[in-house]
Amino acid sequence: MFVSLLTDGCWFHSHLLGKMRCSVLPLVVALLLLLPPVAMETQENDFKDGCQGAALQDGEHDCTWSCIIFTLQWPGGFCASLFNETLCRIPDGVTGWTIHGLWPQHAQRCCSCWPMFHSDVQELEDELAEYWPSLLTTRSRFQFWKQEWSKHGACAACVEGFNSPQKYFQISLKLRQSFEIQRILEDAGITPSCERRYKVAEVQSVLTPHVGDQYEIQCVVDHRDRQVWFQVKIQMSRDLTLGCSHPDAGSGTGSEPSPGHPCPPEVPFFYFPINHQQPERPCD
């Protein structure tokens, strides 16, 4: 992370000032290694403040995105799509729908100079661990959060309400609390099961009054070629109202690639329970 910070910092200053070249990087590294920890912390804060200012300044003139997708995933379905039994894990404290991401669409300019540090989400870490966990054994939860910030949060940062990692993750957690789809489904009798299957229209009739009509129910195929529900992608406008009237809304550009596909309307799908001991084969 330290080397990345220096490399990105060199790009940042050369891009804005046109005076620094990355050939001076070895000298900068040598000098910084001589500084006490307090000086290093000050540099980190200055660097983040500088990037924040650049994001806002650019955003005033070139904040291209109008629509954003809030995506919730069901751990029991996500793990069922992984055929390698060592890849998936569901932390013990995770018992419901989790956040996959908050993704602005068609964001053409992102503040790539703005890294994310553990201190940015330290106050939110317990909530994020429960509601935005990493479900892959190959990726720590902080690596997951850092990736989501660099790919999507930094692209949303041109809007003032999103203009820091802390704000981006706070908004995501608040949205997760607002969309209580697990309670909504349970109240309608739609619960995880190894035997019962559901139809798209059945789930839509329950969710639409709460999430609007611009959303997608996604499935994956498990090792037995069964359709398994794993994700809901909710379309929102930049001000976080439901739906988006932009001409490109719903086209998918700017979304995170995933193993999912729209659940076939004519094929009933499974809504598997969460199995912490056997996450990829919850019903076997």
Side-chain angles (χ1 to χ4, degrees):
M1 180 176 69
F2 178 70
V3 174
S4 175
L5 170 61
L6 292 175
T7 305
D8 292 344
C10 181
W11 176 89
F12 176 64
H13 289 292
S14 64
H15 178 71
L16 293 184
L17 303 179
K19 295 180 180 179
M20 182 179 292
R21 295 182 180 274
C22 287
S23 59
V24 301
L25 181 58
L27 176 60
V28 174
V29 173
L31 291 174
L32 288 175
L33 288 175
L34 298 176
L35 295 176
V38 174
M40 290 295 295
E41 182 178 355
T42 301
Q43 185 200 37
E44 176 183 317
N45 291 334
D46 290 345
F47 185 78
K48 290 192 290 183
D49 290 343
C51 280
Q52 181 179 13
L56 287 175
Q57 183 177 5
D58 288 347
E60 291 175 358
H61 306 289
D62 194 19
C63 194
T64 58
W65 64 274
S66 299
C67 306
I68 194 164
I69 294 177
F70 182 58
T71 304
L72 292 167
Q73 64 183 359
W74 178 246
F78 173 82
C79 289
S81 70
L82 302 177
F83 299 101
N84 185 332
E85 296 183 6
T86 64
L87 281 180
C88 204
R89 64 172 171 209
I90 303 176
D92 290 339
V94 174
T95 59
W97 286 80
T98 64
I99 300 169
H100 190 173
L102 184 62
W103 308 323
Q105 295 185 277
H106 309 285
Q108 297 178 6
R109 293 190 65 181
C110 305
C111 187
S112 59
C113 68
W114 195 344
M116 174 178 152
F117 302 93
H118 185 265
S119 59
D120 291 321
V121 293
Q122 196 164 8
E123 295 179 2
L124 305 172
E125 190 163 11
D126 289 343
E127 281 187 273
L128 289 171
E130 180 177 357
Y131 298 119
W132 200 335
S134 171
L135 301 177
L136 295 176
T137 57
T138 56
R139 183 175 58 188
S140 72
R141 62 194 188 188
F142 180 70
Q143 287 174 329
F144 183 28
W145 303 334
K146 186 176 180 181
Q147 174 183 298
E148 289 299 305
W149 166 255
S150 63
K151 285 187 174 182
H152 306 290
C155 298
C158 59
V159 174
E160 188 169 357
F162 295 93
N163 64 341
S164 74
Q166 186 179 43
K167 290 180 181 179
Y168 173 74
F169 287 102
Q170 281 177 331
I171 287 175
S172 299
L173 287 169
K174 288 179 180 178
L175 287 173
R176 164 60 177 78
Q177 293 170 1
S178 298
F179 294 112
E180 298 181 8
I181 65 173
Q182 189 165 352
R183 179 187 59 78
I184 294 167
L185 293 167
E186 288 176 353
D187 289 347
I190 298 176
T191 57
S193 172
C194 290
E195 293 81 27
R196 183 178 175 184
R197 294 188 295 172
Y198 300 94
K199 293 183 178 180
V200 170
E202 182 180 5
V203 173
Q204 285 177 334
S205 66
V206 174
L207 290 184
T208 299
H210 302 277
V211 303
D213 56 5
Q214 293 185 31
Y215 67 96
E216 186 172 273
I217 298 171
Q218 289 200 324
C219 285
V220 291
V221 176
D222 75 349
H223 68 293
R224 293 187 179 179
D225 291 328
R226 295 174 292 192
Q227 296 288 338
V228 179
W229 188 16
F230 100 109
Q231 194 159 263
V232 176
K233 299 172 71 174
I234 303 170
Q235 186 84 45
M236 308 183 75
S237 297
R238 194 160 75 180
D239 62 359
L240 300 182
T241 55
L242 290 175
C244 189
S245 59
H246 191 274
D248 294 326
S251 65
T253 302
S255 301
E256 181 81 2
S258 73
H261 55 267
C263 296
E266 69 283 358
V267 180
F269 57 80
F270 285 93
Y271 179 21
F272 281 159
I274 291 175
N275 186 327
H276 292 93
Q277 286 69 44
Q278 194 169 285
E280 298 91 351
R281 307 286 186 269
C283 295
D284 292 351

